[in-house]
């Protein structure tokens, strides 16, 4: 399968398959390159909560804003807590979490909107970035799925929320972005049991492999793929990245690889309004 996320600039990967659907769609994932942060945050760290210079992070955001032609005051960010809280946002939420992490939407790991002229953003360093889009309903969303958000089925919860709002399931497209691969992500029985609880009818071999007694290589991207299918999204409407944030050290920060001392990438999605066309 062709990799859906394509390096467009030093700083960003984009989803050309989705952008072809709507020229006003802004969607992608940042790399760790082309910014101004130093040391372990070298160089395009987008996380305000990892003890990098706030000034450097804000400069990095301005670099991205210029590339995307979407000013930072129109961005929306969250205080991510590895849970499954999802919020519908609007123009009144612009600026939250952009310049100060404490001003982000509290305890939120999923956001969506039908408002044009805003950019939804979340930060990552191994967890799974999820993107949601319905062209017919001009609806966009993103979610952050570490193993805790995954087993709480934040992917399915987003889809169910849209369907409850009147969105036809056949119009929903989902993209699963760059994240840690199974080979680099070994977990214990506790985590695996939580996964089995949420996917009781799926063959475990599809998403995990025992590598030693009580230790398992776990594929979070495949688990989320199964949960998206379980929610009713068509296979043909799902894209999944092959990029591993741990092994592609020239492109990405990785919390596991870098032993917690690292920066953050950012997922982003927005629909330009007339003022940005």
């Amino acid at each position: 399968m062709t990799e859906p996320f394509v390096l467009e600039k030093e700083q960003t990967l984009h989803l050309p398959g989705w952008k072809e659907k709507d020229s006003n769609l802004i969607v992608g994932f940042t790399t760790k390159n082309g910014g101004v942060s130093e040391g372990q945050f070298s160089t395009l760290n987008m996380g305000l909560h990892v003890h990098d210079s706030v000034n450097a992070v804000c400069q990095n955001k301005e670099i991205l804003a210029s590339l995307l032609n979407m000013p930072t005051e129109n961005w929306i960010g969250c205080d991510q807590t590895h849970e499954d809280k999802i919020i519908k946002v609007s123009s009144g939420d612009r600026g939250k979490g952009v310049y100060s992490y404490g001003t982000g939407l509290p305890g939120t790991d999923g956001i969506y909107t039908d408002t044009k002229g805003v950019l939804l953003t979340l930060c990552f360093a191994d967890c799974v970035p999820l993107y949601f889009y319905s062209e017919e309903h001009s609806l966009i969303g993103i979610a952050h799925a570490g193993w805790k958000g995954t087993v709480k089925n934040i992917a399915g919860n987003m889809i169910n929320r849209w369907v409850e709002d009147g969105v036809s399931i056949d119009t929903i497209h989902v993209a699963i972005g760059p994240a840690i691969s199974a080979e680099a992500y070994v977990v214990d029985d506790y985590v695996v049991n939580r996964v089995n609880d949420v996917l009781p009818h799926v063959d475990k071999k599809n998403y995990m492999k025992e590598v030693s007694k009580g230790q398992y290589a776990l594929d979070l991207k495949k688990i989320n793929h199964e949960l998206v299918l379980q929610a009713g999204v068509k296979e043909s409407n799902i894209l999944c990245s092959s990029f591993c944030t741990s092994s592609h050290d020239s492109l990405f920060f990785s919390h596991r690889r870098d032993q917690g001392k690292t920066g953050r990438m950012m997922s982003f999605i927005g629909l330009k309004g007339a003022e940005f066309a």
Side-chain angles (χ1 to χ4, degrees):
M1 184 179 70
T2 304
E3 168 58 48
F5 285 80
V6 177
L7 189 66
E8 186 170 280
K9 303 284 187 181
E10 180 185 15
Q11 296 90 348
T12 55
L13 296 105
H14 289 266
L15 263 177
W18 279 18
K19 292 177 72 175
E20 289 171 3
K21 299 177 184 296
D22 187 342
S23 60
N24 289 319
L25 184 67
I26 307 168
V27 57
F29 193 68
T30 63
T31 70
K32 70 174 188 179
N33 302 318
V36 300
S37 293
E38 299 178 347
Q40 64 207 35
F41 307 113
S42 175
T43 58
L44 193 70
N45 170 42
M46 306 300 283
L48 285 162
H49 60 299
V50 294
H51 307 298
D52 189 9
S53 158
V54 171
N55 182 59
V57 177
C58 289
Q59 286 186 63
N60 289 339
K61 291 186 175 187
E62 292 301 335
I63 290 170
L64 182 61
S66 178
L67 289 172
L68 302 180
N69 190 27
M70 179 66 81
T72 51
E73 56 263 32
N74 288 38
W75 296 15
I76 301 172
C78 302
D79 167 26
Q80 299 166 221
T81 56
H82 293 272
E83 295 294 334
D84 61 343
K85 182 179 177 182
I86 297 169
I87 293 178
K88 186 175 185 180
V89 297
S90 64
S91 57
D93 295 302
R94 290 186 296 186
K96 292 182 177 179
V98 178
Y99 312 109
S100 170
Y101 193 75
T103 64
L105 295 166
T108 302
D109 287 85
I111 47 178
Y112 70 104
T113 191
D114 56 5
T115 300
K116 292 182 171 62
V118 301
L119 191 74
L120 310 182
T121 70
L122 291 171
C123 286
F124 296 83
D126 280 336
C127 296
V128 181
L130 300 170
Y131 302 76
F132 306 83
Y133 175 50
S134 173
E135 180 184 10
E136 288 81 351
H137 297 269
S138 295
L139 202 59
I140 53 173
I142 51 174
H144 163 253
W147 78 261
K148 291 181 180 179
T150 295
V151 300
K152 289 176 181 291
N153 197 12
I154 194 168
N157 294 344
M158 179 75 80
I159 294 161
N160 293 337
R161 180 80 65 88
W162 286 23
V163 171
E164 290 169 4
D165 288 348
V167 178
S168 169
I169 191 69
D170 289 342
T171 72
I172 298 176
H173 292 257
V174 177
I176 300 167
I180 197 166
S181 64
E183 292 75 16
Y185 190 60
V186 177
V187 300
D188 58 17
D189 284 297
Y190 179 82
V191 175
V192 165
N193 289 336
R194 302 290 79 75
V195 175
N196 294 341
D197 289 343
V198 77
L199 289 175
H201 306 299
V202 176
D203 188 341
K204 298 176 181 61
K205 293 178 182 177
N206 288 351
Y207 58 79
M208 59 166 277
K209 178 182 178 182
E210 188 170 18
V211 293
S212 63
K213 183 64 175 178
Q215 297 289 300
Y216 309 87
L218 194 67
D219 194 324
L220 288 176
K221 286 187 282 190
K222 284 188 177 179
I223 296 166
N224 279 281
H225 185 274
E226 291 289 349
L227 291 169
V228 170
L229 287 173
Q230 189 171 274
V233 175
K234 296 185 294 186
E235 177 72 60
S236 59
N237 283 5
I238 305 171
L239 299 174
C240 187
S241 176
S242 61
F243 280 118
C244 169
T245 48
S246 179
S247 61
H248 286 83
D249 59 346
S250 63
L251 277 179
F252 305 117
F253 300 112
S254 169
H255 189 272
R256 279 220 168 186
R257 183 195 66 224
D258 303 334
Q259 300 180 321
K261 298 177 180 179
T262 194
R264 296 293 185 271
M265 289 82 67
M266 177 177 283
S267 68
F268 56 86
I269 189 168
L271 283 167
K272 291 183 180 180
E275 68 272 34
F276 305 117

